Amino acid sequence: MITFSNVSLIYPHSTKTILEDLTCEIAEGEMVLVMGQTGSGKSSLLRLINGLVPHHTGGILAGDITVDGISTREVKPGSLAHLVGIVGQNPINSFVTDIVEEEIAFGMEALNFAPDVMRKRVEEVLDLLSLNSVRNRAISSLSGGEQQRVAIASALVMHPKVLVLDEPTSALDPIAAEEVLSVLHRLVHDLSVTVIIAEHRLERVIQFVDRIIYIESDGETSIGSAEEILEKSTLVPPIIRLARALNLSEFGTSVREVRRLTTEVRNIDTQTVAQPRPSTSPVIEVDSLQIQYGSDVALHKISTVIGQGEIVALMGRNGAGKSSLLEAIVGVLKPNAGSVRVYGGDPAELAGSKRRETIGYVPQEPADLLYGQSVQGECTQADTQAGLAPGTTLAFLNRLVPAISENVHPHDLSEGQRLALVLSIVLSGNPRLLILDEPTRGLDYQAKALFTLALKEYARTLNNPVLLATHDVELVAELADRVIFLAEGEIVADGSTLDVLLSSPAFAPQVAKIMSPQPWLTVDHAVAALAANS
Amino acid sequence: MTKPLHPLTMWVWSLILAIGIVALDNTWVALATVGVAALVVYLRRDGSPWNATFWWSLRVGVFIITIRALMGVLIGVPIPGTELFRIPILELPSWMPGIRIGGAVTLERLSSSVHEGVIIATMIALFGAASALTSPHKLLRVLPVFIYEIGITLVIATSVFPQLAQSVKRIRRAQQMRGIEKVSLRSIALPLLEETLTRSLQLAQSMDSRGYGESRKRSRYRPAPWLARDFWFVIGALAAATVMVAS
């Protein structure tokens, strides 16, 4: 279906080779995962398939790509619209109309389909993706998962032979992600659509894919089955790390396979000693907090206390009220009723340097805080603001991500580096409390591990609390001591990470699923528990 | 819910009335037209986010009237008449003849500036009404394909601009949370510019990869026929405009 022959790609004004001599063939009805570190050219590879690269972006392309016999060199992306459907990273940025139905029909209108064909296909695709109940809604009023499905629907309605998706689940909670992935799985199996997908969270997709294209940082690529590629790769999901740690003879990519391989390992008696939560002095006290937007209740009489040195993860569906709670704690959102106290004071009254010393906040879009001309400039500004010796912030940043160039513009940093920069700037104020809103979107495993270490160190050595909102179950398992689960503006679960994650199958991390009923959440837990037993 | 008008109807209606207003140049008729436009928007609103455009256009209009009145009072040709009050005259060098800043403010001078402001504001309100009832997105779908580039530009502008306000709010909030009290223009403009550019590019890519402009002819999923209602709407505006131009 898709043939890459000796494809190399370089962008103008750049010395970095994005792709080097990629040759492969992707058959009809195959599901292929493109993986690599952040900024390694996954998106470029995807957009080569319908010619957006180089027609839209420029760049020097050697070799040739053909889709169903058509060379993407010769035709514009529009001429492949009936053949290749593409779904971008942020679907909200690619919607052309306001209403779900119109959006789905847009591509067909552009290609002058007959009205009766359009009607039929729209109905079909609305059913296929269970969007019938929202067909007349404004797209902006839909949830993240629904928007992602609308984007897939508007690509699918053209009956493309190839569907290309760039990180389709990165902004979604585990349940919505599951929903989207099962739709893709069904498309591959029932309609024999060829699916090419890029994703960082391998644990979510690995069981579905037939082959993997692995792009290394120098543009070298390797192609093979999931087992072959992951055997050598440094970017591996917990399921493979577990297999490595336990020295299993084979690798498995699905929970079922690895469960079969680990029957004996699991079959031991472990006594879990319930560790009482150490009582610490409270830092954040939320008392029957109510927040409303007009008549919509975002938070409904929430009460909780977060103490010193705790790392607390805030989880829940998109729109469950996570951001509202964070904003109320930071003090930019006025409660309609109830109160929030941080270190005994009202967070809304904090200002200037007092605020920086009390609450460190990393927003959902870290770039919102960056407006300097260079990494160096940002760090210097942070130093002067916090009254630190020049170079302190930069030194901290270098510890977090070595080999970051000081003169580069913040915009040109990779996602992980940018987060590290913002984290360094925020921590330069020496805040006594750290709050992060969805910090790990778009981070690869290595960047995530570094980030986890930095946060743990902050919480343990300074005995300050960390509160983060996230969808990333694996991150929560590695990092958090405690999980607060929000649904419909209410706290539905609040307890140790172990208890909360194990109580819901959808939110259980991979290792826990494999090792169930043993209460181990991460590879380290499992290895430690096994070592203690033998 | 009433069936929506043809996407072109409101725009044609506004255009015709706008011509009439300019030709007649009468404050009271202009204000009455704004009233009629408001009534139409109120009766035909459909709850889409675009409905708010009319309200915004009114606010912009008020702003323009104020600025125009201020400028008219401060700078400009003196018009003799009833003197309201007097502000000191700023001495200008001799090589700037004919320009006067300050001086006597007469009722005539004030009313003529306000009048000009009202006419401009009416234009804006009329087009605000048109876009409130027919989003430019809908308009785009009845425009012929040969103005493809204009179409892409229109969609990008109309999609990105409403999001600008939200982005500014988000960035400001993030920076306030960071304890940056005086949020400077630069600190907002840079992240905003970056985001807007990325968004526009993504949207253009999306339209292109979905085949926009690929076919000479576009079909319509929901045909919007030109109905008798649309006809009478436009005829009404035409009649009003004819009277205005003639008198």
Side-chain angles (χ1 to χ4, degrees):
Chain A
M1 181 55 56
I2 308 168
T3 321
F4 290 87
S5 34
N6 306 95
V7 174
S8 299
L9 178 71
I10 301 177
Y11 284 128
H13 315 295
S14 159
T15 48
K16 194 171 166 276
T17 318
I18 306 290
L19 289 174
E20 173 96 42
D21 203 24
L22 168 67
T23 302
C24 74
E25 202 157 315
I26 296 167
E28 189 188 347
E30 212 179 348
M31 185 156 173
V32 178
L33 170 72
V34 180
M35 63 176 244
Q37 291 183 350
T38 43
S40 62
K42 295 190 297 296
S43 300
S44 299
L45 174 62
L46 294 187
R47 289 183 303 165
L48 274 170
I49 296 173
N50 82 334
L52 279 176
V53 178
H55 287 292
H56 252 261
T57 55
I60 304 158
L61 172 70
D64 197 18
I65 303 124
T66 59
V67 181
D68 206 21
I70 305 173
S71 164
T72 62
R73 238 168 211 294
E74 264 125 59
V75 297
K76 288 218 155 172
S79 319
L80 290 168
H82 64 286
L83 207 58
V84 183
I86 190 159
V87 179
Q89 234 169 55
N90 272 329
I92 190 77
N93 289 357
S94 55
F95 290 139
V96 185
T97 65
D98 308 319
I99 307 289
V100 172
E101 245 184 308
E102 289 176 7
E103 182 65 29
I104 293 176
F106 177 83
M108 293 190 293
E109 286 186 331
L111 293 188
N112 199 19
F113 279 45
D116 53 328
V117 177
M118 280 199 269
R119 288 307 297 252
K120 211 174 87 232
R121 287 211 187 167
V122 169
E123 295 303 327
E124 251 172 44
V125 83
L126 284 174
D127 282 339
L128 188 67
L129 293 164
S130 341
L131 285 167
N132 200 23
S133 53
V134 296
R135 62 189 299 165
N136 289 318
R137 292 256 300 274
I139 295 175
S140 50
S141 71
L142 300 182
S143 75
E146 285 168 331
Q147 286 181 351
Q148 192 63 263
R149 277 187 287 149
V150 172
I152 296 177
S154 33
L156 268 185
V157 79
M158 312 287 287
H159 289 192
K161 293 188 173 169
V162 179
L163 190 60
V164 177
L165 304 111
D166 196 353
E167 299 199 26
T169 69
S170 65
L172 303 184
D173 59 75
I175 294 166
E178 200 88 348
E179 211 174 276
V180 167
L181 286 168
S182 61
V183 165
L184 293 180
H185 187 64
R186 209 163 75 220
L187 291 175
V188 171
H189 284 259
D190 293 356
L191 304 174
S192 202
V193 178
T194 310
V195 173
I196 321 285
I197 183 172
E199 184 64 67
H200 277 302
R201 295 195 203 163
L202 302 182
E203 68 270 8
R204 283 181 172 178
V205 291
I206 201 74
Q207 58 206 16
F208 297 115
V209 302
D210 299 310
R211 280 200 294 169
I212 297 183
I213 300 180
Y214 179 30
I215 310 177
E216 276 157 73
S217 45
D218 53 358
E220 293 283 344
T221 49
S222 39
I223 307 118
S225 72
E227 283 84 2
E228 280 165 31
I229 297 287
L230 292 178
E231 198 177 346
K232 308 171 287 214
S233 163
T234 47
L235 298 175
V236 286
I239 197 168
I240 304 289
R241 273 197 291 133
L242 183 72
R244 281 182 189 170
L246 299 179
N247 281 322
L248 296 183
S249 52
E250 300 172 58
F251 285 126
T253 51
S254 74
V255 169
R256 192 178 55 173
E257 284 173 74
V258 182
R259 261 187 89 79
R260 281 186 193 142
L261 296 171
T262 53
T263 338
E264 279 166 36
V265 182
R266 259 181 293 131
N267 206 1
I268 54 165
D269 278 329
T270 45
Q271 252 128 38
T272 41
V273 198
Q275 286 174 342
R277 215 193 290 162
S279 56
T280 51
S281 54
V283 173
I284 306 171
E285 294 157 282
V286 179
D287 185 28
S288 50
L289 173 70
Q290 176 110 0
I291 285 178
Q292 278 165 281
Y293 300 105
S295 58
D296 293 340
V297 180
L299 290 177
H300 188 71
K301 296 216 168 110
I302 281 191
S303 300
T304 187
V305 174
I306 291 168
Q308 278 188 323
E310 272 191 296
I311 302 182
V312 181
L314 199 56
M315 301 191 77
R317 246 173 259 124
N318 296 59
K322 298 192 295 294
S323 294
S324 299
L325 181 53
L326 290 190
E327 287 176 3
I329 291 173
V330 174
V332 287
L333 201 59
K334 275 254 172 297
N336 294 73
S339 71
V340 178
R341 314 205 65 75
V342 174
Y343 284 106
D346 184 354
E349 284 165 11
L350 294 169
S353 62
K354 189 103 181 80
R355 168 173 286 280
R356 282 194 291 276
E357 280 160 21
T358 313
I359 304 175
Y361 172 74
V362 178
Q364 207 167 41
E365 305 286 339
D368 287 355
L369 292 183
L370 300 176
Y371 47 88
Q373 291 302 312
S374 66
V375 170
Q376 169 91 54
E378 290 284 358
C379 289
T380 316
Q381 200 203 354
D383 286 339
T384 40
Q385 262 184 355
L388 296 170
T392 321
T393 308
L394 194 62
F396 183 82
L397 175 65
N398 269 321
R399 214 154 53 79
L400 217 55
V401 271
I404 198 167
S405 163
E406 301 166 15
N407 298 320
V408 72
H409 193 277
H411 177 69
D412 295 330
L413 295 175
S414 78
E415 206 90 28
Q417 291 172 326
R418 206 177 311 170
L419 177 67
L421 175 59
V422 170
L423 193 62
S424 318
I425 294 174
V426 168
L427 288 182
S428 71
N430 246 333
R432 292 191 289 157
L433 157 67
L434 189 59
I435 292 181
L436 308 103
D437 199 352
E438 303 236 4
T440 57
R441 281 197 300 177
L443 292 197
D444 57 41
Y445 288 113
Q446 286 172 335
K448 230 158 41 176
L450 276 174
F451 171 78
T452 310
L453 270 180
L455 287 193
K456 271 192 174 160
E457 191 188 292
Y458 171 80
R460 301 286 176 258
T461 55
L462 302 171
N463 201 24
N464 287 334
V466 174
L467 176 61
L468 73 161
T470 182
H471 288 316
D472 192 334
V473 189
E474 303 292 340
L475 175 80
V476 173
E478 293 279 351
L479 179 65
D481 308 318
R482 179 177 153 199
V483 176
I484 296 177
F485 197 93
L486 285 177
E488 307 279 319
E490 290 179 42
I491 293 181
V492 291
D494 181 355
S496 75
T497 306
L498 195 66
D499 294 339
V500 176
L501 290 192
L502 288 185
S503 64
S504 142
F507 282 84
Q510 246 184 344
V511 173
K513 283 181 191 158
I514 296 166
M515 288 305 182
S516 151
Q518 301 286 3
W520 304 326
L521 293 179
T522 64
V523 178
D524 294 344
H525 284 176
V527 171
L530 288 169
N533 196 263
S534 61
Chain B
M1 202 180 92
T2 47
K3 270 198 78 158
L5 295 164
H6 188 273
L8 277 177
T9 309
M10 274 312 285
W11 288 89
V12 174
W13 186 80
S14 297
L15 190 69
I16 294 172
L17 283 181
I19 295 170
I21 297 294
V22 173
L24 185 65
D25 204 21
N26 179 309
T27 316
W28 303 113
V29 175
L31 285 177
T33 316
V34 173
V36 172
L39 187 68
V40 170
V41 170
Y42 178 75
L43 289 177
R44 301 213 62 95
R45 73 192 186 287
D46 54 4
S48 89
W50 284 96
N51 290 171
T53 345
F54 183 65
W55 174 235
W56 279 102
S57 72
L58 286 187
R59 291 168 76 158
V60 171
V62 170
F63 178 72
I64 286 175
I65 295 174
T66 321
I67 293 292
R68 188 71 196 87
L70 273 179
M71 296 298 274
V73 165
L74 286 178
I75 312 163
V77 209
I79 302 175
T82 336
E83 190 176 311
L84 292 174
F85 53 90
R86 182 173 281 278
I87 41 180
I89 296 184
L90 195 73
E91 288 301 326
L92 287 175
S94 57
W95 46 267
M96 288 173 78
I99 300 177
R100 204 189 63 164
I101 297 183
V105 178
T106 59
L107 185 64
E108 283 73 16
R109 194 168 151 192
L110 190 64
S111 75
S112 99
S113 337
V114 170
H115 164 76
E116 279 168 35
V118 167
I119 299 292
I120 300 170
T122 308
M123 303 287 113
I124 291 172
L126 278 174
F127 287 102
S131 61
L133 294 184
T134 322
S135 85
H137 289 177
K138 281 189 188 150
L139 186 65
L140 169 81
R141 304 167 84 201
V142 293
L143 293 180
V145 180
F146 59 81
I147 51 169
Y148 157 79
E149 260 84 19
I150 300 178
I152 286 212
T153 320
L154 193 68
V155 168
I156 289 177
T158 53
S159 310
V160 171
F161 273 97
Q163 287 169 343
L164 273 186
Q166 278 182 358
S167 305
V168 169
K169 225 167 106 183
R170 201 197 66 234
I171 295 170
R172 274 188 60 155
R173 178 161 278 193
Q175 298 190 351
Q176 276 169 356
M177 283 173 160
R178 172 82 189 92
I180 302 170
E181 235 64 317
K182 267 189 276 161
V183 179
S184 69
L185 182 65
R186 204 171 88 96
S187 69
I188 288 192
L190 276 172
L192 188 66
L193 191 68
E194 190 194 312
E195 184 175 302
T196 313
L197 265 175
T198 324
R199 270 203 185 141
S200 314
L201 281 175
Q202 279 183 359
L203 195 55
Q205 287 187 354
S206 155
M207 289 180 76
D208 232 15
S209 37
R210 288 166 74 183
Y212 182 71
E214 204 38 48
S215 159
R216 286 278 117 207
K217 275 185 75 179
R218 273 171 71 85
S219 53
R220 290 191 54 84
Y221 173 64
R222 283 265 159 78
W226 184 266
L227 297 174
R229 271 177 323 155
D230 301 295
F231 180 72
W232 289 116
F233 225 76
V234 172
I235 288 291
L238 260 181
T242 320
V243 174
M244 288 184 210
V245 173
S247 57

